[in-house]
Amino acid sequence: MSKPHTIHPYVDQSIDDLHYCLFTGKANPHVLKVIKQMRVSTEFCTLEAAIIGESHYLTFSCGTEIITELMACIDFSPDTLLGAKGTAIIQHPFAFKFDDHRYAFQAKIIDLQEISSAPLEAFELFYNRCALQDRALEHRFEMPCSSMFEAKTSIAMDIPTPDTLDIQTLHLYPNESRGILTFTRFHKVAQ
């Protein structure tokens, strides 16, 4: 089992600078500077999940078909199937079908100063449940000064049915007192 936490220096970034894209093929881990990664295999695909700083990528490999979800503060535009930048990421869900698989993505911005933290609490419950099954990664940043909020990126992966992968990610930006939660579902479509 890998350590659930790592600590690296913090760099101010912004949700407004995030780019989301879905593309065919694999991400290049050397270009994206992977900090932590994990592989999960199911009956229908293999998922490679990686934390790349305050960002992530998810690569789904099903036989010869490979798609990658990338969310990062870099302009990354290979052959993009779906994409958005900044707050446009949360404006509507994204979906894509290839062969007999479906991919769905949506995101939600959370205000870390709100008293109600129901979305954050729900994520933590999901994360802890996945961590018990060794399907969770977390990266905490070493803050240069005291901050009201921590900076971290987390990925949690669940297999609710043999044909479905549910992935949630959390990206916290203490400099903005905001975070972004993402919800990805990848599943095999019944024939």
Side-chain angles (χ1 to χ4, degrees):
M1 181 171 123
S2 65
K3 292 188 332 185
H5 306 289
T6 59
I7 298 179
H8 291 275
Y10 170 75
V11 176
D12 274 347
Q13 292 186 333
S14 174
I15 289 174
D16 297 330
D17 295 329
L18 274 175
H19 290 254
Y20 157 77
C21 66
L22 180 72
F23 59 92
T24 57
K26 290 187 174 189
N28 184 335
H30 302 293
V31 171
L32 298 173
K33 299 179 183 167
V34 171
I35 294 169
K36 290 198 76 141
Q37 67 185 42
M38 178 176 278
R39 184 177 294 255
V40 173
S41 293
T42 70
E43 294 175 15
F44 73 101
C45 81
T46 299
L47 166 65
E48 180 181 308
I51 294 174
I52 50 175
E54 291 181 58
S55 306
H56 78 269
Y57 75 76
L58 306 173
T59 298
F60 301 91
S61 301
C62 306
T64 59
E65 298 293 328
I66 300 171
I67 61 168
T68 298
E69 168 187 307
L70 173 68
M71 194 154 82
C73 289
I74 56 173
D75 189 9
F76 189 79
S77 54
D79 295 331
T80 301
L81 303 169
L82 303 170
K85 182 181 180 208
T87 56
I89 295 168
I90 64 161
Q91 299 199 348
H92 57 82
F94 296 89
F96 185 77
K97 182 180 183 302
F98 74 100
D99 288 343
D100 57 349
H101 297 89
R102 277 195 201 277
Y103 165 89
F105 172 90
Q106 66 183 61
K108 175 184 178 90
I109 292 177
I110 55 173
D111 183 343
L112 299 177
Q113 295 180 340
E114 282 185 9
I115 293 172
S116 169
S117 60
L120 194 53
E121 289 172 7
F123 174 80
E124 293 298 334
L125 286 172
F126 182 82
Y127 180 91
N128 290 336
R129 185 167 44 89
C130 294
L132 289 173
Q133 299 173 25
D134 291 331
R135 292 195 299 256
L137 295 170
E138 188 166 87
H139 169 77
R140 294 176 189 242
F141 294 89
E142 184 178 316
M143 300 294 288
C145 58
S146 66
S147 174
M148 193 175 191
F149 309 106
E150 68 180 338
K152 71 178 180 178
T153 300
S154 304
I155 303 174
M157 300 153 278
D158 189 25
I159 306 170
T161 71
D163 294 342
T164 304
L165 277 167
D166 284 336
I167 304 99
Q168 293 184 22
T169 73
L170 172 68
H171 307 253
L172 296 182
Y173 298 87
N175 57 308
E176 298 182 325
S177 300
R178 297 189 300 171
I180 189 163
L181 287 166
T182 71
F183 308 90
T184 301
R185 173 166 274 191
F186 187 76
H187 64 100
K188 188 171 184 171
V189 179
Q191 295 291 323

